């Protein structure tokens, strides 16, 4: 079976921890290397340095004002951990893809808005950034593999993009797709995956205040490995909903079958709302490991965002809201 290919989440806890330690040691070493090359205090991480060399035209936009409505009670995950412990199957089915992801060209980058909208359009990422009200929000992130982090994202409310797109009243779903580029993304040569990575939200979810388009992280442009130049954060849902490096927003009256749902619908459904009481068929979802502190902490329903989102689901019956 496809899904029996050994995945990151099939690692035992002890394996996962040592992998994490390994990555931390690696990033410390890389940090020293960067400092040497710059002959300075080493203020630039290797990724920041790569962006600076490439001249990311959005670099000057950050930092952006923080929206204090969105904050967390736990410690922020150190930047080096959040930017070197990743899931991005386009670059490999393991956590250590941050270097490989640097091959992704992020300029020019065009976003298509299609389907049930007043007028379909293509918009350049920097034109889009110029139109959108950028702010910083600290969000928790809970991966279905039972690890989590707390990250300061920068970006704009997804409802602002919806407003720009002007969907017609027939639109029921917003379907989001990641780039396709086999030349730079070796994972996309693995034909058994249903590329491109596809995710979706109902229109009500997409226009919920919490739904956020990420364009930055830790007060800088979001690194490639975390989904540059445009990635979703819908923090009440499991991490696999947070599709990265998006090129397409399609408004539809049909619910999409998402990437992981196509691979294994009984383990990864459309709704994927976080719930500690609904276990994954192969492991418990009751707790999660904070990748910053290494501590195991209880998981909270809707990842702690129930006050923002629970109402949207009160009338939905007979569907698995939590897988
Ligand atoms: N295109 C794409 N988006 C993706 C993934 C992926 O493999 N491809 N993995 C998802 C999963 S499972 C998680 S947990 C998050 C990880 O985001 P991070 O690397 O910024 O922590 O990205 C999500 N978005
Ligand atoms: Mo995930």
């Amino acid at each position: 079976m496809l899904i029996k290919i050994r995945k990151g989440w099939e690692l035992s806890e002890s394996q996962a921890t040592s992998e994490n330690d390994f990555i931390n040691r690696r990033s410390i070493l890389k940090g020293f290397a960067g400092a040497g090359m710059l002959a300075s205090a080493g203020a630039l991480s290797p990724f920041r340095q790569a962006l600076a060399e490439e001249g990311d035209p959005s670099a000057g936009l950050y930092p952006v004002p923080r929206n204090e409505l969105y904050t967390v009670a736990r410690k922020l995950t150190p930047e080096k951990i959040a930017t070197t412990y990743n899931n991005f199957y386009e670059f490999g089915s393991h956590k250590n893809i941050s270097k490989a992801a640097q091959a992704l060209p992020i300029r020019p980058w065009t976003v298509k808005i299609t389907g049930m909208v007043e007028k379909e359009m293509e918009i350049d990422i920097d034109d889009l950034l110029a139109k959108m009200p950028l702010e910083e929000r600290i969000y928790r992130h809970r991966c279905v593999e039972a690890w989590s982090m707390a990250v300061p994202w920068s970006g704009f409310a997804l409802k602002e993009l919806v407003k720009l797109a002007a969907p017609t009243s027939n639109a029921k779903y917003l379907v989001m797709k990641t780039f396709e580029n086999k030349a730079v993304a070796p994972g996309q040569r693995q034909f058994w995956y249903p590329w491109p990575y596809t995710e979706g939200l109902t229109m009500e979810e997409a226009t919920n205040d919490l739904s956020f388009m990420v364009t930055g992280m830790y007060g800088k442009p979001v690194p490639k490995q975390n989904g540059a130049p445009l990635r979703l954060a819908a923090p009440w849902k499991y991490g696999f909903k947070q599709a990265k490096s998006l090129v397409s927003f399609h408004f539809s009256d049909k619910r999409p079958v998402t990437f992981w749902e196509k691979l294994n619908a009984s383990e990864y459904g459309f709704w994927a709302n976080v719930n500690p009481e609904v276990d994954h068929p192969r492991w418990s979802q009751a707790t999660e490991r904070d990748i910053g502190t290494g501590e195991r902490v209880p998981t909270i329903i809707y990842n702690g965002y129930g006050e923002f989102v629970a109402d949207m689901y009160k009338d939905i019956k007979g569907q698995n809201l939590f897988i």
Side-chain angles (χ1 to χ4, degrees), residues 85-90 141 143 147 149 153 178 197 225-226 231 239-240 242-244:
Y85 185 89
N86 301 106
N87 272 334
F88 204 162
Y89 274 60
E90 284 80 347
H141 172 100
C143 175
W147 58 264
M149 59 183 183
W153 302 117
T178 296
Y197 199 96
Q225 64 273 28
N226 295 92
R231 166 258 176 90
F240 65 87
Q242 333 290 324
K244 292 179 169 179

Side-chain angles (χ1 to χ4, degrees), residues 23-24 27-28 31-32 45-46 77-85 218:
I23 289 165
N24 291 344
S27 16
I28 291 163
F32 282 128
S45 74
T77 303
E79 180 180 355
K80 278 202 169 142
I81 295 179
T83 56
T84 52
Y85 185 89
Y218 296 94

Side-chain angles (χ1 to χ4, degrees), residues 104-111 123-125 179 228-230 245-247:
L104 178 67
I106 56 169
R107 291 295 187 290
W109 190 275
T110 308
V111 173
I123 183 163
D124 176 78
I125 186 69
F179 74 88
L230 192 62
S245 305
L246 296 169
V247 295

